[in-house]
Amino acid sequence: MAEAQRAATFEEFYRACFDRLVGQLALVTGSMAEAEDVVQEAFLRAAAHWPSLCHYDVPEQWVRRVALRLAINQFRRARRRAAALVRLGPAPVTPPASADALVLDAALRTLPIRHRQVVVLHYLLGLSVEEIGRELVLPVGTVKSQLHRARQALARQLAEPSLEVNHRHA
Amino acid sequence: MRDLPERLEELASAYAQLASPPAPGELRRRHQRRQRVTVAAWLTFAAVLLVGAVVAGGWVGAVGRPAPGPAAAPPSTKATTKATTPPSSTRPPRLTGTVTRPQEGYRLNLPAGWHAVELSDPKQLALGYGKPGKSAVEVYVRTALTLDPRLTSATDRKAAVLASSPWGPETETFANKPATRGTRPDGRRFLTIDADLVGGGMPDRLYQIAWPYHCAPGSACPAFTRLRVLEFVAISSKDQWAEVRPMLERMVANVQPIGNALDGSDPTHPPCTYGRNGDVTNPHPAAKATSDGGVLLQVGAASRAGLPCHFHGELTLRLVDRLAAARTTLGRQPPLLPVRNNGATVALDGDLPEGSAGSGVLAVVWKWTNWCGSKQVSAQVVSSGGDITDLGNGRIPLPRCTDRAAPSILTRVKGPG
């Protein structure tokens, strides 16, 4: 593939996937700015590997995996820093969603980031527990228990014991 | 109740709509910046080691101690510091006495010994106590949005579609935290929350006062404005906390509502801030093809969240090669494409009214015709403050090539003279 054509396909890929990945990562990181940051960083790495990545069936999956790992690292870094730095930054961006959705957003943010990851991968992206295990390099049992705890915590937060979660299976 | 995947989908889509991918060139610039920072960090580290060695005398001792006199200058890091953005040398002024913030709707009388500093985020103000620069307490005053049932009514929360709220939700951190409730003499409810922002036993406290935004009668006012709170976030050293806390609590009790925080008042029009997190952004649609083969480009300011403000500024429309723009290094402008009137600047001045997002627009429209050049074109709007917006998210339709011998032209077709 010629250099120019390769650059063009990367740009197309970048423009097509950026927003979607930020949407998914915002739910994981709990912060729009952080989500944009990790997704940008992941694309930066994807650009460096694009000659081989462009032959992948779903290069977006590679970028998401990198972004998810970065989100964890980012989270650790952020936690080590004074939490106040995060708190005292600019006001977080509000998504144009209903109050109902924002209540879920708030509930998600109370979960540990690992739990948020499995919730997003399972319920939003429809990955099976085995696929999540491969994605996050975790044993299947761990994924199952994290999903279970996350679901319980969400139900408590949303004060809905009968939270409809409709399991997805691959 | 909708199921979890559906609700997650709504939320993820909402965030995705807000995302704005930086131009691909920005990725490259970011990479370059990081490389420079790394190089600068290593050079600084090396310089520190060198200075440390000199001070310790080990290295100097081997070659002979220098004669007494001015200390030798550390190794120059000019080459690296030049490449990074130099810190601004102008410090924002320190305010004392009474601070008035019309857009946030408050007037604050600072007690003796306190000062305030404006921050780049227009919604925040930093307070300090004691000697400037040595304050052992930091207080941030800002407006925010809350869904906390202790400060807002169920009806207001239900009605609020939080599209483009400029305040952002605070529920993620504090709605579940225990708080002491209070009521100010004017009847406004407030919460005192020991937020544990910093950890390590350092005193920190958050005060949230119900500070609903009151819209002018008859305006199309977003419902989320009723969920506004005024916050004081305080972090202090243990030594000073006992001294500053009563003063802080007096400020929380006495901060006065003005303008939009009062019922029935006329909305004020403080200066608009332009750009991604500002009050205004470029209006939609930014670019549109016409049936005669031309392209209309709209350049201006549109209210993001329906808060009234006064826009005064210059906006420059630049048509540039997209790939050249992507390759351009930080702080430089890519060359303009050969289009008559390309790079023209328009001055805009006017009030943007209260209302829902996009209800206030101040704009000029340019018509671009006859383009026979490259298809890789970006239309950038550069504000007098230096913000750059790529129209159409970096992709705009291009005019039809009608005559290769004739020039390509931008003509102003609509807007303030």
Side-chain angles (χ1 to χ4, degrees), chain A residues 92-97 102, chain B residues 14-15 18 145 162-169:
Chain A
V93 181
T94 313
L102 282 167
Chain B
Y15 275 120
L18 284 178
L145 191 77
L162 303 166
S164 305
S165 153
W167 298 306

Side-chain angles (χ1 to χ4, degrees), chain B residues 369-394:
Chain B
T369 50
N370 188 34
W371 177 245
C372 304
S374 156
K375 295 199 181 312
Q376 304 287 342
V377 176
S378 270
Q380 299 182 330
V381 175
V382 185
S383 77
S384 38
D387 285 292
I388 300 177
T389 305
D390 274 331
L391 295 188
N393 219 357

Side-chain angles (χ1 to χ4, degrees), chain B residues 214-233:
Chain B
H214 291 271
C215 305
S219 74
C221 194
F224 65 74
T225 54
R226 295 196 286 276
L227 305 178
R228 186 174 73 171
V229 287
L230 181 63
E231 290 187 342
F232 287 69
V233 187

Side-chain angles (χ1 to χ4, degrees), chain B residues 96-153:
Chain B
T96 52
T98 301
V99 179
T100 304
R101 305 280 289 196
Q103 193 72 302
E104 318 311 322
Y106 69 85
R107 182 183 296 128
L108 178 63
N109 293 317
L110 295 170
W114 286 79
H115 58 268
V117 180
E118 305 263 359
L119 300 174
S120 57
D121 176 4
K123 286 180 270 306
Q124 293 203 66
L125 187 71
L127 308 184
Y129 175 60
K131 206 171 171 186
K134 308 247 173 177
S135 176
V137 59
E138 288 173 60
V139 181
Y140 294 84
V141 188
R142 69 179 204 180
T143 42
L145 191 77
T146 188
L147 292 173
D148 195 322
R150 295 170 293 192
L151 290 179
T152 56
S153 75

Side-chain angles (χ1 to χ4, degrees), chain A residues 7-106:
Chain A
T9 57
F10 175 75
E11 199 178 317
E12 239 166 64
F13 165 66
Y14 168 68
R15 291 197 185 280
C17 305
F18 184 88
D19 294 0
R20 186 166 49 234
L21 285 169
V22 167
Q24 294 160 8
L25 265 293
L27 299 186
V28 172
T29 61
S31 152
M32 183 77 188
E34 211 171 313
E36 287 193 332
D37 203 47
V38 292
V39 172
Q40 272 185 48
E41 178 68 32
F43 270 107
L44 202 65
R45 296 182 188 193
H49 294 91
W50 190 241
S52 56
L53 269 182
C54 65
H55 299 297
Y56 281 32
D57 287 340
V58 193
E60 184 178 348
Q61 199 175 348
W62 186 94
V63 178
R64 185 170 54 236
R65 191 176 299 171
V66 171
L68 283 168
R69 284 184 196 156
L70 286 169
I72 287 279
N73 295 340
Q74 196 95 331
F75 182 73
R76 285 179 186 149
R77 273 206 302 276
R79 199 169 51 180
R80 278 200 298 272
R81 287 197 305 260
L85 288 180
V86 177
R87 176 68 187 78
L88 299 176
V93 181
T94 313
S98 62
D100 183 36
L102 282 167
V103 168
L104 174 63
D105 196 26

Side-chain angles (χ1 to χ4, degrees), chain B residues 20-71:
Chain B
S20 57
E26 176 56 32
L27 286 182
R28 188 180 290 111
R29 286 196 283 275
R30 184 178 156 151
H31 182 58
Q32 288 165 346
R33 275 200 298 274
R34 196 168 49 186
Q35 282 180 323
R36 287 183 201 123
V37 169
T38 309
V39 170
W42 275 108
L43 283 177
T44 309
F45 180 61
V48 167
L49 283 183
L50 189 63
V51 170
V54 168
V55 170
W59 183 62
V60 174
V63 294
R65 195 167 291 279

